Amino acid sequence: MEKFLIADDHPLFREALKGALEPLFPTAQFEESDSLESTLVILEENTDTSLILLDLNMPGCENFYGLLRVTSDFPSIPVVVISASDSVAVISHAMGMGASGFIPKSSSTMTIATAINSVVAGDTWLPEGIQNSIDEVSNEQLEIANKIATLTPKQFQVLKYLQSGKLNKQIAYDMNVTEATIKAHISAIFKKFDVNTRTQAVLLVEKLQNEI
């Protein structure tokens, strides 16, 4: 029996997608998640998941972090990105960072079903006419992406606060933890990124973002 996880933070979209796919996959089991945290929990409990339909902009998934974490933690489960952000650059980065397919949210139900069947069968799937436009992700971009993938969700959250220019005290207040905890997270980020300052860490992430 196939098991699909719909990972999207919009309940109406999850409900609509599940309702549209159920008649086409009558024996399939559908799971739902609304954040990276809940996605990882469900995958831990359902390691036999056949395929993940992942929204790139779900809470906790920014900067491709969600895609990177899921493909890193569960390499045997294919991930199909389903997103409203469907520029060539975004599709290129998603595929280069481990996605097995990319479906624009504007796609028809039959197109989504075709994509799912292709990926479950072991193939990759892209929108018609886009294959020849896909750019390769550079080694530098992959290196940055792999560093981001090593962060824990809490560390990634701290990194986003660093990007916004917040001080340790402000981050600690927003995350309801001590400043010592924030300092520990920042030290871990510096070590994983092989940098020494906040500015260097932020510039590293922005180097990846600026390519999109």
Side-chain angles (χ1 to χ4, degrees):
M1 181 182 69
E2 293 169 323
K3 184 182 292 186
F4 302 136
L5 171 59
I6 301 174
D8 193 287
D9 60 321
H10 292 92
L12 288 177
F13 178 78
R14 295 198 309 271
E15 182 179 345
L17 183 57
K18 179 181 176 181
L21 292 177
E22 281 180 328
L24 301 176
F25 299 92
T27 62
Q29 177 180 334
F30 290 86
E31 300 287 343
E32 299 180 33
S33 60
D34 60 3
S35 66
L36 176 59
E37 182 178 0
S38 60
T39 297
L40 295 176
V41 169
I42 289 176
L43 290 175
E44 287 284 358
E45 297 173 349
N46 297 271
T47 55
D48 58 341
T49 297
S50 306
L51 179 139
I52 306 162
L53 293 167
L54 179 73
D55 176 32
L56 285 179
N57 296 315
M58 190 170 57
C61 289
E62 300 87 348
N63 299 336
F64 294 97
Y65 176 68
L67 173 61
L68 292 166
R69 275 302 304 272
V70 169
T71 54
S72 176
D73 291 2
F74 304 93
S76 64
I77 304 176
V79 179
V80 174
V81 171
I82 182 163
S83 177
S85 303
D86 56 359
S87 68
V88 171
V90 170
I91 297 174
S92 297
H93 277 71
M95 298 302 290
M97 294 176 190
S100 296
F102 193 103
I103 306 172
K105 281 192 174 180
S106 58
S107 301
S108 68
T109 300
M110 290 307 300
T111 297
I112 296 174
T114 298
I116 290 173
N117 283 323
S118 295
V119 172
V120 169
D123 298 323
T124 57
W125 192 92
L126 289 170
E128 186 175 355
I130 200 72
Q131 182 68 53
N132 294 332
S133 301
I134 295 299
D135 297 319
E136 287 190 14
V137 176
S138 69
N139 289 333
E140 182 183 24
Q141 292 167 334
L142 285 175
E143 185 178 345
I144 295 172
N146 288 334
K147 288 180 178 180
I148 292 175
T150 65
L151 300 179
T152 66
K154 292 295 185 185
Q155 289 166 0
F156 183 70
Q157 188 177 1
V158 170
L159 177 61
K160 288 192 295 180
Y161 280 123
L162 294 183
Q163 286 183 276
S164 68
K166 289 197 172 185
L167 302 174
N168 289 1
K169 182 184 297 185
Q170 295 171 311
I171 301 173
Y173 178 80
D174 288 344
M175 294 182 65
N176 195 29
V177 296
T178 65
E179 283 191 61
T181 298
I182 298 304
K183 289 179 180 178
H185 284 319
I186 293 175
S187 294
I189 292 170
F190 287 177
K191 184 176 181 179
K192 290 179 178 181
F193 279 13
D194 192 25
V195 299
N196 299 309
T197 68
R198 290 168 170 246
T199 300
Q200 289 175 323
V202 169
L203 288 176
L204 193 70
V205 177
E206 289 181 350
K207 185 176 292 188
L208 181 60
Q209 291 175 319
N210 290 339
E211 297 294 332
I212 302 170

